[in-house]
Amino acid sequence: MIEDQIDLTMGDAPVPRPSHVPVERMVDLDIYRLPGSGDDFLRAWMEVAESAPARVIWTPRNGGHWVVLGGTDIAHVYSDHEHFSSKITLVPRKWGELYPLRPTTLDPPEHQPYRRILTGLLSSRTVRRSIPIVRELASRAAEGIRHRGACDIVADYAAALPLALFAALAGIEADRMAVLPGYAAHLLADEGTDLPEPVMDRFTTFLRALIAERRALPGDDIITALLAGQIDGRPIEDDEAADVATALLTGGLDTVVSLFAMMMRHLAGEDALRSRLVADPELLPAAVREMTRRFAIMTKARLVRAEQLLDGVTLKAGDMVVMPPLHGLDPTIFPDPLRVDLTRDAAPHSAYGNGVHRCPGAQLAEAEMTVMLKEWLARIPNFMLDPDRPVRMQGGVLGTVVTCHLRWDTATAAP
């Protein structure tokens, strides 16, 4: 969401190579404009990794920063908060400095009380409470689509579900969420849709009003639970609650929708796998976990806190380091990484990050996508990509599936 407000023209002018960057490590690479990312941003990143001179490279674009391409090093940077700070999580650095968000851009120990609250809000109890809500939302959406024979899985099925789920958990009517930016709002703005104020500001305005309501009239909902939290033994303040609520709401929007759309794009071309999942829905949780590895979408940055040696090169304090979604696609860790293999041994893949900032909503996201798949496949078991309307994507901080048009024979849809 923060990427929605970045002026990408800032990345146009390269900066000089610092003296500690070996010339052989320099690659002219703009993470927001990878060639081919409009067709498949993950394959675009794999091409970068395959052609790079090393597993850690440096680019003069977007203020100049390192890019970590190897899975083991990506996991290391994510998990080593003592040397790689989350104070800035995107490039260019000057933009990252403008958007602090608790607990996302805090390091231990400051981040711990906020993280504790956020983790509690996304507990197993919340997941259990969410499953019937998602099932009702997804089944209703699939029922409204199945006789059409075609749809955009993003706009017509997936995009509305995370917002509606948050509304239910927050104890408000779903139509109140209409004031918030829709999925991939910044891309639509590029195409002429008017956005009256910055995307993140719209979330903050909405959530501050909701926080004020729950201060005055508590309920059995996730915002009331948030306001019962404490920071170092004192009640959470409204500014702090707004930050945590923003992380809570935005963390499960575009991420879930885009990842789910990537899964559906894959299943549309994999008849055998799709048939297995239709015949045995018990395989769906494993399929979601494996496809999450295969279709990771997040590209995050960290600020180097102290000089470090990584892949034989020295990173200096103040350097920025970017981790693309390549851990799960590293062939030295995952043989034949592009293949979705439900028998593959489970292994960390950093799709949800790693270390103290690993996504606290990972369990909820996977449960949500499992239910969305189950309800879809129960009604529309056979579908294909629309050959006349290619899938549109965009890379960046969040790899986005803008549109994914599907077709099916309505005669094969469940009655």
Side-chain angles (χ1 to χ4, degrees):
M1 290 291 180
I2 294 175
E3 180 189 359
D4 302 348
Q5 303 182 66
I6 297 175
D7 178 6
L8 295 181
T9 60
M10 292 180 63
D12 286 342
V15 301
R17 176 179 61 87
S19 59
H20 68 284
V21 175
V23 66
E24 64 271 16
R25 296 283 183 137
M26 190 167 74
V27 176
D28 193 352
L29 173 74
D30 187 339
I31 68 168
Y32 299 112
R33 297 184 177 89
L34 289 184
S37 60
D39 298 320
D40 190 330
F41 56 84
L42 286 174
R43 286 190 179 272
W45 269 119
M46 289 193 73
E47 289 176 6
V48 170
E50 290 165 0
S51 63
R55 306 292 271 177
V56 175
I57 59 176
W58 187 87
T59 174
R61 301 291 172 176
N62 295 298
H65 60 84
W66 298 97
V67 181
V68 184
L69 301 172
T72 300
D73 288 333
I74 288 172
H76 170 69
V77 173
Y78 270 126
S79 61
D80 185 3
H81 63 268
E82 293 184 355
H83 297 103
F84 299 95
S85 171
S86 294
K87 182 178 180 181
I88 304 173
T89 61
L90 71 156
V91 294
R93 176 174 175 167
K94 65 172 64 177
W95 274 97
E97 291 171 339
L98 294 177
Y99 298 105
L101 183 68
R102 292 166 286 201
T104 306
T105 57
L106 292 179
D107 295 315
E110 290 80 11
H111 108 295
Q112 291 170 348
Y114 301 99
R115 171 70 182 214
R116 192 176 301 117
I117 292 173
L118 189 56
T119 300
L121 297 174
L122 294 166
S123 66
S124 297
R125 178 178 179 272
T126 300
V127 174
R128 291 192 298 271
R129 182 179 179 184
S130 298
I131 287 174
I133 298 171
V134 177
R135 183 180 298 119
E136 170 61 25
L137 294 168
S139 62
R140 189 189 315 150
E143 281 292 331
I145 289 171
R146 63 189 177 97
H147 292 303
R148 287 167 43 180
C151 79
D152 174 3
I153 195 66
V154 174
D156 298 330
Y157 184 68
L161 267 63
L163 283 172
L165 172 60
F166 181 86
L169 294 176
I172 62 175
E173 295 297 322
D175 58 8
R176 288 186 60 179
M177 310 296 283
V179 301
L180 294 175
Y183 172 75
H186 61 300
L187 302 179
L188 296 176
D190 290 343
E191 296 173 357
T193 301
D194 180 36
L195 296 181
E197 62 180 311
V199 170
M200 292 300 288
D201 290 352
R202 294 171 67 186
F203 282 105
T204 301
T205 299
F206 175 84
L207 290 166
R208 284 185 179 279
L210 185 54
I211 287 167
E213 290 178 24
R214 290 296 178 262
R215 289 283 194 200
L217 187 64
D220 180 20
D221 61 86
I222 204 165
I223 299 300
T224 299
L226 164 62
L227 296 177
Q230 294 205 333
I231 305 298
D232 297 328
R234 60 167 176 78
I236 191 169
E237 298 176 356
D238 284 0
D239 285 349
E240 298 167 325
D243 272 8
V244 176
T246 300
L248 178 69
L249 172 54
T250 60
L253 295 184
D254 289 8
T255 307
V256 169
V257 175
S258 196
L259 182 50
F260 179 79
M262 292 288 280
M263 294 180 183
M264 291 295 284
R265 171 179 174 262
H266 180 76
L267 291 175
E270 293 287 339
D271 294 350
L273 175 59
R274 192 176 66 247
S275 296
R276 285 184 67 194
L277 299 179
V278 171
D280 187 1
E282 294 298 317
L283 294 173
L284 283 169
V288 167
R289 287 192 296 271
E290 168 66 353
M291 287 191 287
T292 297
R293 173 204 64 82
R294 168 63 180 86
F295 299 111
I297 59 178
M298 295 300 299
T299 296
K300 288 287 191 178
R302 293 291 187 265
L303 174 67
V304 180
R305 304 176 75 170
E307 184 173 308
Q308 289 290 294
L309 188 67
L310 194 65
D311 189 41
V313 69
T314 299
L315 282 58
K316 296 284 190 179
D319 285 357
M320 292 299 300
V321 184
V322 167
M323 289 80 67
L326 287 175
H327 183 179
L329 297 176
D330 188 332
T332 67
I333 302 173
F334 299 93
D336 194 7
L338 297 182
R339 181 167 59 94
V340 172
D341 180 2
L342 303 193
T343 67
R344 192 187 297 273
D345 292 337
H349 49 66
S350 300
Y352 296 112
N354 209 338
V356 298
H357 281 286
R358 186 180 187 274
C359 175
Q363 183 185 6
L364 176 58
E366 292 193 352
E368 191 175 348
M369 291 184 289
T370 298
V371 173
M372 291 166 68
L373 271 177
K374 184 175 183 179
E375 296 304 317
W376 176 277
L377 292 174
R379 292 164 177 81
I380 309 171
N382 299 307
F383 53 93
M384 60 181 289
L385 293 174
D386 187 334
D388 298 325
R389 307 182 76 177
V391 176
R392 290 179 53 213
M393 300 188 190
Q394 177 168 306
V397 174
L398 173 69
T400 304
V401 180
V402 184
T403 60
C404 180
H405 291 274
L406 305 177
R407 284 184 183 178
W408 60 91
D409 183 349
T410 56
T412 66

